[in-house]
Amino acid sequence: MGETRVDLLHLLEDLRDAYAGSLEETILTEIVANSLDSGAAEIRLTTDAGAATVDIVDDGRGMSRGELRRYHDIGASTKIRGRGIGFAGVGIKLGLLACADVVTETRRGKTHVATTWRLASRHRAPWNWTAPPGLVGVCGTAVRLRLQNALSPLVDAGFLERTLRCHFQPLFETAFDRILARAYPSSVTFVVNGRALARGDIGPDAASLAVRVGRQRMPSAVGYLEHPAAPLPADEQGVAVSTRGKVIKRGWDWLGVSPAEPGSVGGLIEVPALTECLTLNKADFIKAGARGAIYLAYRKALQEAVAAQLAEWGETPAPEVRRGAPRRFERDLQSVLDELAGDFPLLATLVERRVGGQRRLPLGAAAGTAPAAGVVALGATPGEEPAQPAAEPVPPGPAQPSSTEREGDSHTSGTVVPGDPRGPKRPAHHGLRIQFERRPADEQLGRLLESTGWVNTAHPAYTRATAARADAYHVALTVAMALVPLAVEPADAHAFVTAFLTRWGETGARDGRREQRR
């Protein structure tokens, strides 16, 4: 017998609070995500309301005896960043909060073992080896949750189906089969109480999106937008972004682009490369450092594609009235970022896109991320000679689109290829924005949220700067300090802020001379 000798209840409650959904929703989503990471092609869910149990069985790789033993350690995980969407078996561990006990059976080769695990007290969570209940076939892993509450939604087949379709939507739509084929070569089938859940395709009125990064022939992201005549339900409004089939965020706030009527447009975009940008609990994306730069770079490409389609539908929002954020601040800051991007390449994700392509970003080994990724250019103009080596070829995967398909991508089926000179050019602002907010309890001058710099007007320094008519300098200092986590390591913060303010002063002087000449 083994035993977890930590304050497991406290740790599990902290993990539970890190997720936005209900406990039952999180348990189900995380167990299914780990099944997908194991290479499962079929995931079967069976409920028994009388016994208050739910079985989740997959046909994945299964675990060895040693892996099953380590899986009872709250801090143990075999996960590698960028290669999965589950988190350290947290679904089964959170199941201890809602279950009388959890039985886990696994089979790999000649190994066929099972354990039972329960939360006996705040500090004791004993587990024992037990005879396998026979839920697994040739290989795979099965989890049986014996629930404390007989009325738990986990014994409701309708709840299971709704949760699966909400959190793993791309796996239910054939439009994403090609881009997901590298992660799931045999596709994935979900079976609830013996019934295979139906799959479908996007409607005829939906506009397809295909976003290519650099010179890759295969799209780096695919998806669609839909604009029905009737308003969409609240949980379908906005654009959802997923990676490896798991929906991470949904709405308009994360994208920074929205239509005139946000409730009338919805959509979904799958970006497999964003797996390595997921936060620890896999419920959001990292927004700082090298991985944050990857996320912001893809987000900018998605902004351009979505904005182009919204403009085609006439859904361009009315101009924003932004209190205290004159365009001159943003224009000057864009000039500073553009000049500094050579020395601090990760700042290129915040530089306004210009004709001729986006500045190249080190989205590979140079940025400390996945190896052999080279350099990626967003919105690069075809035919333009790269200033740095182009991205390495994409590993073998699904069939590549034909040259005819590539030539028609910008003009047919609503497909948008950012940076394609054949498509219409529409003005849009996708660089750094400046906004003001009042946060009396925050001791920071400001913060960087996505690609918006928020200045804290409740900070005493802001009040002093406004009284001294030095608000422009204060905004520059605030933005520089907010950009430090994205641009450099903490040890280089002083050098970065100094360089930023120096360029800001030079930009202000140039603007002053231009105004005098006028």
Side-chain angles (χ1 to χ4, degrees):
M1 182 187 79
E3 185 171 327
T4 304
R5 298 183 180 276
V6 295
D7 189 347
L8 188 58
L9 178 61
H10 176 73
L11 293 176
L12 292 177
E13 288 175 341
D14 285 346
L15 278 175
R16 176 196 62 194
D17 295 341
Y19 291 84
S22 67
L23 175 61
E24 293 81 7
E25 187 178 16
T26 302
I27 291 172
L28 176 60
T29 302
E30 287 297 324
I31 292 177
V32 171
N34 280 280
S35 293
L36 293 172
D37 288 345
S38 73
E42 181 180 80
I43 301 175
R44 304 181 70 88
L45 300 91
T46 306
T47 65
D48 185 340
T53 63
V54 56
D55 298 340
I56 305 171
V57 185
D58 67 55
D59 59 354
R61 288 184 293 273
M63 292 182 281
S64 66
R65 189 181 183 92
E67 288 172 341
L68 182 58
R69 181 186 295 109
R70 289 192 300 273
Y71 131 118
H72 295 89
D73 183 348
I74 191 66
S77 175
T78 58
K79 300 291 183 179
I80 299 175
R81 184 181 289 276
R83 298 186 185 178
I85 53 177
F87 172 46
V90 73
I92 292 95
K93 293 162 185 173
L94 286 180
L96 296 176
L97 293 175
C99 299
D101 59 55
V102 177
V103 176
T104 306
E105 176 188 357
T106 189
R107 189 167 193 167
R108 178 194 289 179
K110 296 181 179 180
T111 300
H112 187 193
V113 291
T115 63
T116 181
W117 196 12
R118 65 190 178 91
L119 187 63
S121 68
R122 183 179 190 89
H123 299 281
R124 296 184 64 250
W127 61 272
N128 299 276
W129 296 105
T130 188
L135 299 174
V136 179
V138 177
C139 63
T141 300
V143 175
R144 170 168 287 173
L145 305 175
R146 189 160 64 90
L147 301 158
Q148 296 172 354
N149 181 9
L151 300 179
S152 170
L154 286 172
V155 297
D156 178 6
F159 172 82
L160 299 183
E161 180 173 352
R162 288 192 302 271
T163 301
L164 291 173
R165 290 188 181 277
C166 176
H167 288 273
F168 301 98
Q169 185 179 347
L171 298 177
F172 290 93
E173 299 184 359
T174 58
F176 298 95
D177 286 353
R178 289 185 63 187
I179 198 168
L180 290 174
R182 282 159 55 185
Y184 312 115
S186 302
S187 72
V188 180
T189 301
F190 293 96
V191 180
V192 176
N193 287 348
R195 179 178 64 89
L197 300 186
R199 304 178 72 236
D201 204 348
I202 61 177
D205 297 329
S208 299
L209 300 178
V211 178
R212 290 181 174 81
V213 174
R215 298 174 182 273
Q216 294 182 3
R217 296 175 61 193
M218 283 292 294
S220 302
V222 299
Y224 64 88
L225 292 179
E226 56 181 351
H227 189 5
L232 291 166
D235 59 348
E236 297 180 13
Q237 295 175 8
V239 177
V241 58
S242 65
T243 181
R244 292 175 67 98
K246 183 180 182 182
V247 175
I248 307 300
K249 300 176 77 71
R250 191 184 298 268
W252 294 110
D253 292 341
W254 73 270
L255 186 61
V257 173
S258 62
E261 296 293 336
S264 64
V265 180
L268 172 64
I269 301 176
E270 163 68 28
V271 193
L274 288 182
T275 307
E276 65 180 291
C277 304
L278 290 172
T279 55
L280 187 64
N281 64 359
K282 309 297 180 72
D284 201 350
F285 295 106
I286 297 172
K287 303 177 181 67
R291 291 189 177 92
I294 296 175
Y295 165 67
L296 291 173
Y298 275 100
R299 176 176 172 269
K300 177 177 287 188
L302 300 182
Q303 281 179 330
E304 295 169 357
V306 171
Q309 183 58 54
L310 292 178
E312 184 174 328
W313 281 339
E315 279 287 341
T316 304
E320 300 179 17
V321 178
R322 291 178 285 156
R323 169 188 171 275
R327 177 60 176 154
R328 177 184 171 184
F329 279 2
E330 293 179 349
R331 185 175 62 248
D332 289 348
L333 287 172
Q334 284 296 326
S335 299
V336 173
L337 292 174
D338 195 22
E339 294 177 10
L340 288 177
D343 297 326
F344 306 97
L346 298 184
L347 294 180
T349 59
L350 301 174
V351 176
E352 180 77 37
R353 184 175 179 273
R354 293 179 172 81
V355 177
Q358 178 66 41
R359 184 183 293 273
R360 295 178 180 274
L361 306 174
L363 302 188
T369 58
V375 182
V376 178
L378 294 181
T381 304
E384 177 191 5
E385 290 299 323
Q388 303 181 38
E392 294 187 6
V394 179
Q400 303 280 353
S402 66
S403 58
T404 304
E405 290 174 331
R406 293 197 304 274
E407 291 176 0
D409 277 344
S410 296
H411 305 287
T412 62
S413 301
T415 302
V416 179
V417 182
D420 193 331
R422 296 164 296 183
K425 298 288 186 179
R426 296 181 175 91
H429 180 78
H430 301 303
L432 181 67
R433 292 181 179 273
I434 304 298
Q435 296 282 14
F436 293 80
E437 62 179 350
R438 185 172 181 82
R439 296 168 61 88
D442 193 349
E443 298 180 355
Q444 300 296 321
L445 295 177
R447 56 181 179 147
L448 180 68
L449 185 61
E450 304 288 0
S451 57
T452 300
W454 290 91
V455 179
N456 183 9
T457 60
H459 197 283
Y462 177 81
T463 304
R464 293 194 296 269
T466 302
R469 297 185 178 180
D471 52 332
Y473 179 83
H474 180 84
V475 169
L477 176 62
T478 300
V479 172
M481 296 181 67
L483 288 175
V484 166
L486 172 66
V488 296
E489 297 296 329
D492 300 324
H494 179 74
F496 170 75
V497 173
T498 301
F500 189 99
L501 294 178
T502 300
R503 299 294 178 88
W504 169 265
E506 294 173 353
T507 300
R510 289 197 299 268
D511 289 345
R513 288 194 293 270
R514 281 196 295 267
E515 291 180 1
Q516 289 179 357
R517 286 196 296 269
R518 289 172 185 167

